[in-house]
Amino acid sequence: MTVHAATQSLRNPVTIVYAVLLVGVFSAFPHIAQAKRGKIPVLVQATSITTGDIQGPRLRSERAKTIAFVSDGDVEGPGSAPGHREVYLYHTMYHSFAANMIERVTTTASGESYAVSRATDETFASGRPQFLALVSTGDLDPSVGNADGNPEIFLWELLTGTFHQLTDTADPVVNSDPYPSDSGRCVTFSSTGDLDDNDGSDGGNPGVGFRNPDGSQEVFIYSLENSENFPTNGNFTQVSDGPPGTVSAKPVIGGYWFPRQCQSTAYTSDFDQLGNGSIGTHIYVYNRPGGRIEQMNAAGIPAGLPPGNYFAPNISSASNFARGPFIVFDTDSDLWVNQSHGRNMFRFRVFHSRMRQYTDQDVGDTRSPVISDGGKWIAVESDGELLSQKKTAKYGGDPPFNADGNWEIFRLKGRRKAMQITRTQGCSNTQPSIEDTGVSVAFRSTCDLISEGNPNQLPQVFLYTQVKPDDPLVGSGCLVANGCCNEANGCFDRVEGKSLKKVSKKDCINKPKGCI
């Protein structure tokens, strides 16, 4: 494993002891993590590849210290491209651009590593190590072994660099889509394997008794309830079931407060899980304590969810205020029968059956929403106009703001305020990931967002964040030559104002909850 200079300190005992002490402090005083928000915008280019691709930047939910991503390019400098996908970690807390802030997580001698998750929390880890979840066809954990090169789920500890192979299957089984809870108490993923070994003896995790001998793609949970013998003391529970050829995938897991971090698993399935006549790809929620499957729905929608495809569920983190959990998703269905166009983003509150629509652009689509702790902040990608076209923006001038229909990154605050983080032409900004507080958003971009930082318009990882006045990135610590952009050096042009509100109220069902 290659560890760059700036991250070597993560491996020494002093740093580890200090990190453990921090865990204790933040656990005792959780309000510390909700310190006063920074307000001064800064944009940082995290990578500068000259060949290859980058996929799936995942910003750590808690305090946004790291961004995990996948690349087959020359992330470590010219000539370093491995020629296959590997996992990397960008450390956002190093505000010295003289230091190399990128750590290579995997060095896959045979095969490749990909589909990395965000890092788990340190504040409420309850003794479990902080880790990333990922898929690899490599032989990364000698204690288990993966000589056959099958796609397996691995965990990687941030502080020790230790790999743990979670699944051990053989061709043609494929394991994919790993997503750990913020606290690290469990991992959900999809697999074509027959993995369920939950005997039902745990009253808090009864299971449903599904098996998967037909090799359909199903969703599983692996429980990691305590740190003893991590991670071999858990069990697999299959939470979806369908006939051969059906696909249940893209699972996310969370709970509205920390002891219930593994309570709700949302996933997409093209099979009618409840046998109620659903047509298309719908979103289902598995309630772990009750061992039951529920369909995402809301009071007031006639005859349940209409036919259509429901994409990309994302779930909010545990909240100190016990709100949620919230699930955001996008769909091409006119869910509220209000003549909405294209794909739009909705927010669903689990346990209260409340569904709200957040976008309704005239032209274009909104995709890949991600949501913060408590459900207040949402980041999305869109090629439409998400800010009001009737008013001058608080920052950014007069509309239109995205007349060319370029894919841009937006951050929404409730249903009233919106910020267009990028404003570009002839390139794309996609795959957002958001911090708990909504202060930071990581994303993938092929644009030259910071003057001549990406002249060949290759995919790069960018970080938008807001800092306090005393932060080094406000002034001379932020240089365009080092891939840093703020309003002081004149290269950041934000658009911020009222959200677009365009709904035919005449046809909007249950208006207080359903209209945007």
Side-chain angles (χ1 to χ4, degrees), residues 32 43 56 72-74 147 155 173 176 201 203 213 217 228 251 255 264 307 331 340 391 397 424 457 460 483 485 496:
I32 294 176
L43 184 68
D72 62 356
D74 56 346
L155 308 182
V173 172
S176 56
S201 59
Q217 186 170 339
E228 185 178 352
S264 301
T331 179
S340 292
K391 299 179 179 180
T424 55
Q457 294 195 338
Q460 309 287 357
C485 196
E496 187 174 350

Coordinates of all heavy atoms in Angstrom, one line a residue, residues 32 43 56 72-74 147 155 173 176 201 203 213 217 228 251 255 264 307 331 340 391 397 424 457 460 483 485 496:
I32 N -20.8 19.5 19.7 CA -19.5 20.1 19.2 C -19.5 19.9 17.6 O -19.0 20.8 16.9 CB -18.3 19.5 19.8 CG1 -18.3 19.8 21.3 CG2 -17.0 19.9 19.2 CD1 -17.1 19.2 22.1
L43 N -13.8 26.7 -3.5 CA -13.9 25.6 -4.4 C -12.4 25.0 -4.5 O -11.5 25.8 -4.8 CB -14.4 26.0 -5.7 CG -14.6 24.8 -6.7 CD1 -15.7 23.9 -6.3 CD2 -14.9 25.4 -8.1
G56 N -17.5 8.2 -8.8 CA -18.1 8.1 -7.4 C -17.4 8.7 -6.3 O -17.1 8.1 -5.3
D72 N -8.9 5.0 -12.7 CA -7.9 4.2 -13.4 C -6.8 5.1 -14.0 O -6.0 4.7 -14.8 CB -8.5 3.4 -14.5 CG -9.2 4.2 -15.5 OD1 -9.3 5.5 -15.4 OD2 -9.7 3.7 -16.5
G73 N -6.8 6.4 -13.5 CA -5.9 7.4 -14.1 C -4.7 7.6 -13.2 O -4.4 6.9 -12.2
D74 N -3.9 8.6 -13.6 CA -2.6 8.9 -13.0 C -2.8 9.9 -11.8 O -2.3 11.0 -11.7 CB -1.6 9.5 -14.0 CG -2.1 10.7 -14.7 OD1 -3.3 11.0 -14.6 OD2 -1.3 11.4 -15.3
A147 N -8.4 -15.9 -4.3 CA -7.5 -16.3 -5.4 C -8.3 -16.4 -6.7 O -7.7 -16.3 -7.8 CB -6.9 -17.6 -5.1
L155 N -13.9 -4.4 3.7 CA -13.8 -3.3 4.5 C -12.4 -2.9 4.7 O -11.5 -3.8 4.8 CB -14.4 -3.6 5.9 CG -15.8 -4.2 5.9 CD1 -16.3 -4.4 7.4 CD2 -16.8 -3.3 5.1
V173 N -21.2 -15.6 -8.9 CA -21.8 -14.6 -8.0 C -21.1 -13.3 -8.1 O -19.8 -13.2 -8.2 CB -21.6 -15.2 -6.6 CG1 -22.0 -14.1 -5.5 CG2 -22.5 -16.4 -6.4
S176 N -21.9 -6.3 -5.0 CA -21.8 -4.9 -5.5 C -22.5 -4.0 -4.5 O -23.1 -4.4 -3.5 CB -22.4 -4.8 -6.9 OG -23.8 -5.2 -6.9
S201 N -32.3 -15.7 15.8 CA -32.1 -15.7 17.3 C -32.0 -14.3 17.8 O -32.2 -14.1 19.0 CB -30.9 -16.6 17.7 OG -29.7 -16.0 17.1
G203 N -33.6 -11.0 18.4 CA -34.9 -10.4 18.4 C -34.9 -9.0 17.7 O -36.0 -8.6 17.1
P213 N -31.2 -19.3 -4.2 CA -30.6 -20.3 -5.0 C -30.7 -20.0 -6.5 O -29.9 -20.5 -7.3 CB -31.4 -21.6 -4.7 CG -32.7 -21.1 -4.2 CD -32.4 -19.8 -3.5
Q217 N -30.5 -10.9 -8.4 CA -29.7 -9.9 -7.7 C -30.6 -9.3 -6.5 O -31.6 -8.8 -6.8 CB -29.3 -8.7 -8.6 CG -28.4 -7.7 -7.9 CD -27.8 -6.7 -8.8 OE1 -27.7 -6.9 -10.0 NE2 -27.3 -5.6 -8.3
E228 N -16.2 -6.4 19.0 CA -15.5 -7.7 19.4 C -15.4 -8.6 18.1 O -16.3 -8.9 17.4 CB -16.3 -8.4 20.4 CG -15.6 -9.7 21.0 CD -16.4 -10.4 22.1 OE1 -17.4 -9.8 22.5 OE2 -16.0 -11.5 22.5
P251 N -28.8 -0.2 -2.5 CA -29.3 -0.1 -1.1 C -28.5 1.0 -0.4 O -27.4 1.3 -0.6 CB -29.0 -1.4 -0.5 CG -27.8 -1.9 -1.2 CD -27.9 -1.4 -2.6
G255 N -30.8 5.4 10.1 CA -31.8 5.5 11.1 C -31.8 6.9 11.7 O -30.9 7.7 11.5
S264 N -33.5 1.1 8.9 CA -34.2 1.2 7.6 C -33.2 1.1 6.4 O -32.2 1.8 6.3 CB -34.8 2.6 7.5 OG -35.8 2.8 8.6
P307 N -47.2 4.0 -11.9 CA -46.2 3.3 -12.7 C -45.0 4.3 -13.0 O -45.3 5.5 -13.2 CB -46.9 2.8 -13.9 CG -48.3 2.7 -13.5 CD -48.5 3.9 -12.5
T331 N -37.4 10.5 -10.0 CA -38.3 9.7 -10.7 C -38.8 10.3 -12.0 O -38.8 11.6 -12.0 CB -39.5 9.3 -9.8 OG1 -40.4 8.4 -10.6 CG2 -40.2 10.5 -9.4
S340 N -45.7 17.5 -13.9 CA -44.3 17.7 -13.9 C -43.6 17.2 -15.1 O -44.1 16.2 -15.7 CB -43.7 17.1 -12.6 OG -44.2 17.7 -11.4
K391 N -37.0 36.2 -10.6 CA -36.3 37.2 -9.7 C -34.8 37.2 -9.9 O -34.2 36.2 -10.4 CB -36.6 36.8 -8.3 CG -38.1 36.8 -7.9 CD -38.2 36.4 -6.4 CE -39.7 36.4 -6.0 NZ -39.9 36.0 -4.6
G397 N -26.8 37.6 -10.3 CA -27.5 38.3 -11.4 C -28.9 37.9 -11.7 O -29.6 37.3 -10.9
T424 N -21.3 26.4 -16.0 CA -20.3 26.0 -17.0 C -21.0 25.8 -18.3 O -22.2 25.8 -18.5 CB -19.6 24.8 -16.5 OG1 -20.5 23.7 -16.3 CG2 -18.8 25.0 -15.3
Q457 N -10.2 18.9 -19.9 CA -11.5 18.5 -19.5 C -11.7 17.0 -19.2 O -12.6 16.4 -19.7 CB -12.6 19.0 -20.5 CG -12.6 20.5 -20.6 CD -13.8 21.0 -21.4 OE1 -14.5 20.3 -22.2 NE2 -14.2 22.3 -21.1
Q460 N -12.5 15.1 -12.9 CA -11.7 15.4 -11.7 C -12.6 15.4 -10.5 O -13.9 15.5 -10.6 CB -11.0 16.7 -11.8 CG -10.2 16.9 -13.0 CD -8.9 16.2 -13.0 OE1 -8.5 15.5 -12.1 NE2 -8.1 16.3 -14.1
G483 N -5.0 25.1 -7.3 CA -6.3 24.5 -7.4 C -7.3 24.9 -6.4 O -8.1 24.1 -6.0
C485 N -10.0 28.1 -5.2 CA -10.7 29.2 -5.7 C -11.7 29.8 -4.7 O -12.4 29.1 -4.0 CB -11.6 28.7 -6.9 SG -12.2 29.9 -8.0
E496 N -27.0 32.1 -6.2 CA -27.8 31.7 -5.0 C -29.0 32.6 -4.9 O -29.0 33.8 -5.1 CB -26.9 31.9 -3.7 CG -27.5 31.4 -2.5 CD -26.6 31.5 -1.3 OE1 -25.4 31.8 -1.5 OE2 -27.0 31.3 -0.2

